[in-house]
Amino acid sequence: MGGADGELGSLIYEKILADMRDGVATIDLQGRIITFNAAAGRILGLDPQATVGQSFGEVFLMEESFDDFNEVVLKAVYENEATHSREVSVTVGGHRVDLHVTSTFLMLERDGAPERQGVIVVFSDITEQRKRRKLKRLFGEYVDPRIVERILDRGGVEDLKGARQVMTVSFADLRDFTGWSERLDPESLVSVLNRFLTAMTIPIGAAGGITDKFIGDAVMACWGPPFTEAGEQAIDACNAALGQIESLPALRRELAESGVARAEAIDVAIGIGTGEVIVGDIGAEQSRNFTVIGNAVNVAARLQEAAKRYGQRVLVAHDTRAAAGDGFVFRMVDHATLRGRSSIEPIHALVGRVGSVSDDERRLIEQHERGVMALVQGLPDTAAERFRACLEMAPGDRPAAVLLERCLAYEDESGAGGGSGVASVPGAAAAPK
């Protein structure tokens, strides 16, 4: 009976080892591998049947890629601590595999007392877990889990070491932060700012974007490979900007209910740029973070600041408008040279989605854009007529007022209304903070 029980127990043990997802190996005191289950073979790229009975040194110690793995195993042989545990990396078939390895004494009863007979090693493949941990470190708590899965499916964070690619970048900034900081005590200001930034962050994730960083009272976000499809990035960024605007009424109500004075004045200024940037895991060795740097970032920051001058909530670069397609209504508010750039280029306001813009707004847009083109062509008199017509349709229209003022300045400078609409355009957009 005892023999049958022992045989059954051995079969159960073998079945458990065979079905385990973790690798399990046992090594006797002479360094001979006495068990090596199927999972161990799969994880380390070895044939279990061929490995059992071989010397541990011949199988592992001659392979440099197993050095860290070997160290954990040998600690259990030469050190008195019962258990050693560590995360290590090995190379299997030319690919890196991350492991969590635990080694411990293999103890058996002999003459009524436990005696060390060897080492048992248990290890699991944590490659995907490590990728996810790195993603969390790089991107913080603001990445939609669906985006994390997409990055992993496309090759993981190893692709983020540094590359040039076209991306869309946005800055969303709290309007009149200086005024809020003067009116509120420090604790209330921090509370308002945190609620504002949270409200601005949610639409970014909903539109597939990455919250890159917070810069004072502004949030920077980006869209593009490997997070979103290249052809969708400008569309996603525009949808996020509109979502940020749509979140303002609820935010104002929430702040008002909390006793924040003038909560109805909470507002946002957003700038969006599209272009080539450098994408990568950037920073000091111990504090790297994913970010993007380059001209599109600068353009977005300058447009966000210029939005306040033109009285618009969202300004986008010409490249962004072109890439966003026909699902949105834009208004070309000006031609300007942004600080740090040499060329004069159109600046567009994002008015809304197609179907949400009234006929009156469309007529205003058409009249204003005719005025902008007349101004660029050096016809300030004609442009001024267009902008006056805009102000008759919408007396408080800020873009028309700004450009009409410029037309009058050109007339004063030329004395005959023949000034160039290009000459003083570089001052149209304010410098970023």
Side-chain angles (χ1 to χ4, degrees), residues 54-63:
Q54 292 197 58
S55 163
F56 178 83
E58 291 177 355
V59 176
F60 290 96
L61 296 183
M62 302 301 291
E63 289 288 337

Side-chain angles (χ1 to χ4, degrees), residues 1-12:
M1 189 72 175
D5 287 345
E7 184 177 345
L8 178 61
S10 177
L11 290 173
I12 293 173

Side-chain angles (χ1 to χ4, degrees), residues 309-310 331 368 387-388 390-391 394-408:
R309 172 179 174 83
Y310 291 105
R331 175 183 181 180
H368 182 88
F387 298 135
R388 288 190 180 99
C390 289
L391 291 170
D397 188 65
R398 180 67 179 161
V402 168
L403 270 65
L404 176 59
E405 182 179 346
R406 190 184 306 157
C407 290
L408 299 177

Side-chain angles (χ1 to χ4, degrees), residues 251-267:
L251 174 63
R252 290 166 182 156
R253 287 194 301 271
E254 178 187 325
L255 292 174
E257 291 169 0
S258 300
V260 176
R262 295 189 60 196
E264 72 281 358
I266 284 284
D267 214 336

Side-chain angles (χ1 to χ4, degrees), residues 3 16 23 33 39 47 55 70 78 123 200 209 212 217 225 227 248 250 257 275 295 350 416:
I16 291 172
I33 300 170
D47 180 353
S55 163
N70 295 336
Y78 297 112
F123 49 93
M200 295 301 102
D212 185 291
D217 58 323
F227 317 108
L248 290 174
E257 291 169 0
N295 190 53
L350 173 59

Side-chain angles (χ1 to χ4, degrees), residues 348-369:
H348 305 273
L350 173 59
V351 180
R353 298 180 182 89
V354 169
S356 68
V357 178
S358 69
D359 291 340
D360 287 344
E361 287 178 291
R362 288 183 178 276
R363 282 190 286 271
L364 176 66
I365 292 168
E366 182 181 0
Q367 192 72 260
H368 182 88
E369 291 187 344

